[in-house]
């Protein structure tokens, strides 16, 4: 008598379910970002409090003997091309770099995508609470600081010259600096996602991104040193409360995921090796566990 096993069926959901999960992720990220931007605008009318807090932060940094923000700005002002590059980095790199990073994780490292998305959500939510509780004018607005608003003088800038008339951004939400917080998480996420692979050492180069971002946000007088320190502390808390991907969770490069070729879902059933049982009957060997596709992994870890 010949024993056999029933071939595994096609992956649940298929391409249509994958598209639904992708659309849901896009709506989720866009909705959270819209909520954050709208929430930041709630504290735009607290100008007096924002400047009082700025004086306290400035005095606290001097008491802690932190280097003056002007020391970094003087380096940038040695050449117009250098300061313009710094302004461009501040205005144009922050969101695109984070978006491309999340897209790469979604496609190639789904488990790490879920982890990173959750960490960024916790960090950004905590930052919003602090923005509302502690409005803070950036150092470029302090007359006694003697700093240049490099964005307005040299360009490009994402802010209007009159903060009270700026309806697109809250210029009194300097602490914490999400420019630095997101850049640091980007570097940590790349290193974590590539660790153990052949090219993991190249991921260490991404540490230059938060370092350059720190020099840019301080040198352009958009943030204090303490803005970056607080962002790093909040990120550390987020990393502690959000569980990292489990060691056994499939999260490797997936060039064939969802195609049915190579290590695809349908290949294991049709090419499953056979063996003979104790009575000599042919019996299909148990199929190896297949690698989950991005949509399956993301869908299972909402």
């Amino acid at each position: 008598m010949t024993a056999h096993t029933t071939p595994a069926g096609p992956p649940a959901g298929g391409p249509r379910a994958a598209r639904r999960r992708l659309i849901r992720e896009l709506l989720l990220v866009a909705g959270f970002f819209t909520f954050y931007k709208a929430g930041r605008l709630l504290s735009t009318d607290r100008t007096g409090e924002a400047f009082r807090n700025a004086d306290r932060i400035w005095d606290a940094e001097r008491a802690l003997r932190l280097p003056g923000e002007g020391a970094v700005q003087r380096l940038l002002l040695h050449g117009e091309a250098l300061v313009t590059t710094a302004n461009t980095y501040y205005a144009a790199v922050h969101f695109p770099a984070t978006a491309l990073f999340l897209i790469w994780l979604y496609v190639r490292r789904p488990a790490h995508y879920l982890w990173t998305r959750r960490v960024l959500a916790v960090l950004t939510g905590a930052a919003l609470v602090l923005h509302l509780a502690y409005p803070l004018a950036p150092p470029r607005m302090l007359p006694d600081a003697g700093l240049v608003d490099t964005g307005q003088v040299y360009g490009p800038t994402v802010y209007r010259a009159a903060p009270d008339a700026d309806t697109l951004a809250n210029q009194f939400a300097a602490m914490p600096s999400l420019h630095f917080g997101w850049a640091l998480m980007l570097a940590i996420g790349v290193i974590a996602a590539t660790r153990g692979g052949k090219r993991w050492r190249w991921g260490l180069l991404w540490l230059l991104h938060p370092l350059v971002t720190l020099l840019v946000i301080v040198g352009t007088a958009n943030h204090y040193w303490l803005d970056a320190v607080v962002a790093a502390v909040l990120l550390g808390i987020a990393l502690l409360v959000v569980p990292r991907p489990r060691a056994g969770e499939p999260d490797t490069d997936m060039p064939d995921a969802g195609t049915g070729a190579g290590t695809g879902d349908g290949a294991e059933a049709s090419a499953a090796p056979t063996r003979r049982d104790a009575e000599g009957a042919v019996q299909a060997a148990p199929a190896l566990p297949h690698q989950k596709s991005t949509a399956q992994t993301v869908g299972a870890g909402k």
Side-chain angles (χ1 to χ4, degrees):
M1 180 177 180
T2 301
H4 65 278
T5 57
T6 303
R16 184 175 299 178
R19 285 194 295 269
R20 286 199 299 266
R21 294 187 184 101
L22 176 59
I23 293 173
R24 183 188 63 200
E25 285 298 316
L26 293 175
L27 292 176
L28 179 65
V29 173
F32 183 79
F33 177 73
T34 302
F35 173 79
Y36 166 75
K37 293 291 288 185
R40 274 172 53 112
L41 295 176
L42 294 177
S43 61
T44 54
D45 59 344
R46 299 162 65 184
T47 304
E49 185 179 356
F51 277 99
R52 288 192 295 271
N53 290 335
D55 290 333
R56 296 187 185 103
I57 293 296
W58 185 263
D59 293 339
E61 288 189 342
R62 308 293 77 81
L64 294 171
R65 299 186 180 277
L66 292 176
E69 286 79 0
V72 180
Q73 186 171 90
R74 284 191 291 272
L75 295 176
L76 296 181
L77 294 178
H78 276 301
E80 185 172 344
L82 185 59
V83 69
T84 303
T85 300
N87 289 334
T88 303
Y89 198 93
Y90 182 86
V93 173
H94 176 51
F95 289 112
T98 306
L100 290 174
F101 168 58
L102 289 174
I103 292 171
W104 175 75
L105 285 179
Y106 183 86
V107 174
R108 305 305 294 269
R109 299 288 192 273
H112 279 83
Y113 165 79
L114 287 171
W115 171 64
T116 302
R117 188 243 283 163
R118 291 164 180 163
V119 170
L120 288 176
V122 172
L123 169 62
T124 307
L128 176 59
V129 172
L130 191 52
H131 289 160
L132 297 177
Y134 196 80
L136 180 65
R140 56 186 165 81
M141 294 184 185
L142 291 182
D144 296 337
L147 298 172
V148 177
D149 187 342
T150 61
Q152 296 297 332
V153 175
Y154 298 96
T157 181
V158 295
Y159 302 120
R160 292 188 178 181
D164 293 335
D166 198 336
T167 58
L168 298 178
N170 180 5
Q171 298 190 40
F172 300 118
M175 180 178 287
S177 169
L178 283 182
H179 268 74
F180 179 74
W182 285 14
L184 184 58
M185 183 57 207
L186 191 156
I188 292 173
V190 170
I191 293 172
T194 58
R195 189 174 60 178
K198 296 180 180 179
R199 299 183 298 271
W200 74 271
R201 289 181 178 85
W202 291 103
L204 296 176
L205 293 176
W206 280 99
L207 290 173
L208 294 175
H209 178 47
L211 176 60
V212 172
T213 299
L214 176 61
L215 296 178
V216 164
I217 64 175
V218 172
T220 57
N222 282 296
H223 287 282
Y224 306 89
W225 294 108
L226 287 180
D227 295 341
V229 171
V230 173
V233 171
L234 292 179
L235 176 59
I237 295 173
L239 290 170
L240 289 175
V241 300
V242 178
R244 288 190 59 182
R246 295 186 298 272
E249 198 164 357
D251 198 24
T252 55
D253 287 349
M254 297 178 295
D256 299 319
T259 64
T263 57
D265 294 321
E268 295 126 354
S270 60
T274 59
R275 66 184 182 187
R276 293 184 178 274
D277 58 18
E279 299 177 355
V282 177
Q283 183 179 17
L288 295 175
H290 67 274
Q291 186 183 57
K292 292 181 180 180
S293 67
T294 299
Q296 288 173 306
T297 303
V298 174
K302 301 175 185 177

